[in-house]
């Protein structure tokens, strides 16, 4: 199992991450599609080749072709949106918020899977990318759709652990090269 290989790659000083990785994925109460779509989108967003290499095959095995593509689409569109909306939010001139974005985001309207799943994956990627405006927007859509806070928090936990594992493994790879 690739998850076990990824856990074994986590150094001893980051034992909490290893344990958390096993629990947020292995003990998740999310439905399989939500879980593995979140895992895949977050593995992509982590920008860690090792994390993506280890988690992508299992995600692909647990997702339909449509869900697999939609999870990758969520990571892709949020890579753009998180930069755009975070920047607009951080600029001190509020007039930027009144300007038309002019960016294509068609996949958000037609993701190819249940809207709730795509929104959950987008929220998780937005957590990794640190876009407060996107987090608020996706959280509101999810809450209006009846998704409870525990489910939303579970996606954020997956995002935080996958990101932390990616950062740790990349740092260790750099240190090992010295």
């Amino acid at each position: 199992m690739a998850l076990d290989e990824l856990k074994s790659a986590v150094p001893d000083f980051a034992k909490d991450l290893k344990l958390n990785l096993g629990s947020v994925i292995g003990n998740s109460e999310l439905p399989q599609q939500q879980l593995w779509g979140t895992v895949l989108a977050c593995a992509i967003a982590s920008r860690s080749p090792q994390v993506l290499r280890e988690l992508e095959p299992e995600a692909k095995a647990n997702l339909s072709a449509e869900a697999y593509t939609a999870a990758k689409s969520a990571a892709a569109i949020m890579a753009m949106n998180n930069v755009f909306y975070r920047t607009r939010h951080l600029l001190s001139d509020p007039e930027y918020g009144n300007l038309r974005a002019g960016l294509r985001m068609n996949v958000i309207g037609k993701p190819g899977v249940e809207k709730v799943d795509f929104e959950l994956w987008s929220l998780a990627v937005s957590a990794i990318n640190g876009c407060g405006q996107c987090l608020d927007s996706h959280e509101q859509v999810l809450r209006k759709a009846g998704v409870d806070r525990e489910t939303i928090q579970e996606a954020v936990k997956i995002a935080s652990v996958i990101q932390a594992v990616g950062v740790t493994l990349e740092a260790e790879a750099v240190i090992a090269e010295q």
Side-chain angles (χ1 to χ4, degrees):
M1 175 188 252
L3 179 57
D4 290 334
E5 290 178 32
L6 186 58
K7 285 174 21 184
S8 70
V10 175
D12 289 341
F13 70 82
K15 182 180 180 182
D16 289 329
L17 297 182
K18 185 182 302 196
L19 296 171
N20 287 333
L21 186 61
S23 66
V24 299
I25 296 175
N27 298 329
S28 177
E29 294 186 16
L30 292 177
Q32 285 292 88
Q33 181 165 297
Q34 286 183 356
L35 170 64
W36 287 105
T38 302
V39 168
L40 179 58
C42 290
I44 293 168
S46 78
R47 297 185 180 106
S48 168
Q50 186 173 3
V51 167
L52 184 56
R53 225 180 349 265
E54 296 297 337
L55 294 177
E56 183 274 339
E58 197 161 351
K60 191 172 190 175
N62 282 285
L63 292 169
S64 67
E66 296 81 12
Y68 177 80
T69 299
K72 293 192 318 180
S73 296
I77 197 69
M78 296 321 296
M80 177 185 73
N81 283 359
N82 292 156
V83 170
F84 181 80
Y85 287 105
R86 182 179 62 236
T87 300
R88 205 155 81 164
H89 174 74
L90 291 172
L91 289 170
S92 60
D93 184 348
E95 288 303 310
Y96 286 100
N98 297 324
L99 298 176
R100 184 178 165 283
L103 297 172
R104 294 195 183 274
M105 302 173 219
N106 295 329
V107 72
I108 294 172
K110 287 185 158 186
V113 293
E114 292 293 324
K115 181 108 170 106
V116 165
D117 294 352
F118 192 83
E119 289 289 332
L120 192 67
W121 304 337
S122 296
L123 177 128
V125 171
S126 296
I128 290 173
N129 292 333
C131 181
Q133 188 173 358
C134 293
L135 282 166
D136 281 343
S137 175
H138 294 291
E139 189 267 349
Q140 288 170 11
V141 170
L142 288 164
R143 295 292 293 144
K144 282 182 187 171
V147 176
D148 59 34
R149 287 179 178 87
E150 291 78 11
T151 298
I152 293 168
Q153 180 170 290
E154 191 159 349
V156 173
K157 285 170 37 178
I158 291 167
S160 66
V161 172
I162 287 175
Q163 174 67 7
V165 168
V167 167
T168 301
L169 294 177
E170 292 304 302
E172 286 299 289
V174 170
I175 291 168
E177 291 174 0
Q178 297 178 351

